Amino acid sequence: QEQLVESGGGSVQAGGSLRLSCALSGYTYSSYCMGWFRQAPGKEREGVAVIYTGGGSTYSADSVRGRFTISQDNAKNTVYLQMNSLKPEDTAMYYCAADTGTCPSGGTWSAAGWYNYWGQGTQVTVSS
């Protein structure tokens, strides 16, 4: 059974940086679509960025492109989200998500319902 464990959240001032990590264990397939979603209080869960571990292709939300970078370390079965130039509106609980195979194209990559495996979440708070 696949399990995802996140780390790296915290509190930072606007303009600062954080790096989130998501480690996959118990995997049974060679490649996954793995990535990050976030959910602020009173809002729906939204896709932030995902990566296909088998080839490195990525998708990201317009709101974070140019500020956030998703990457992978296959030797550690870990995906990272480097977040720079953080804004107060980035404040949310960040969840790691994964499912087998390539990431779906178009807007489907950001559909939370497509992913079967989820971490517990890590809080990111950005103060102005």
Side-chain angles (χ1 to χ4, degrees):
Q1 179 74 23
E2 286 82 350
Q3 290 187 322
L4 301 170
V5 178
E6 304 110 329
S7 61
S11 297
V12 66
Q13 289 190 327
S17 299
L18 286 172
R19 189 177 80 154
L20 305 183
S21 300
C22 174
L24 171 66
S25 63
Y27 55 92
T28 56
Y29 292 87
S30 59
S31 302
Y32 288 76
C33 177
M34 288 180 64
W36 297 92
F37 284 70
R38 66 187 182 186
Q39 188 167 19
K43 294 188 177 182
E44 292 187 355
R45 192 168 296 190
E46 64 171 353
V48 176
V50 298
I51 187 168
Y52 172 52
T53 64
S57 57
T58 63
Y59 294 92
S60 61
D62 291 343
S63 59
V64 305
R65 201 166 297 139
R67 301 187 298 123
F68 293 9
T69 302
I70 191 168
S71 62
Q72 63 184 63
D73 184 338
N74 282 347
K76 297 181 179 180
N77 300 309
T78 299
V79 169
Y80 303 97
L81 185 69
Q82 178 66 44
M83 304 185 294
N84 298 328
S85 301
L86 282 160
K87 304 175 181 180
E89 51 264 43
D90 294 318
T91 295
M93 184 71 77
Y94 282 69
Y95 296 92
C96 184
D99 211 314
T100 57
T102 58
C103 298
S105 60
T108 307
W109 73 266
S110 62
W114 188 84
Y115 300 82
N116 282 307
Y117 309 111
W118 291 88
Q120 295 298 309
T122 184
Q123 178 68 37
V124 171
T125 302
V126 184
S127 58
S128 57

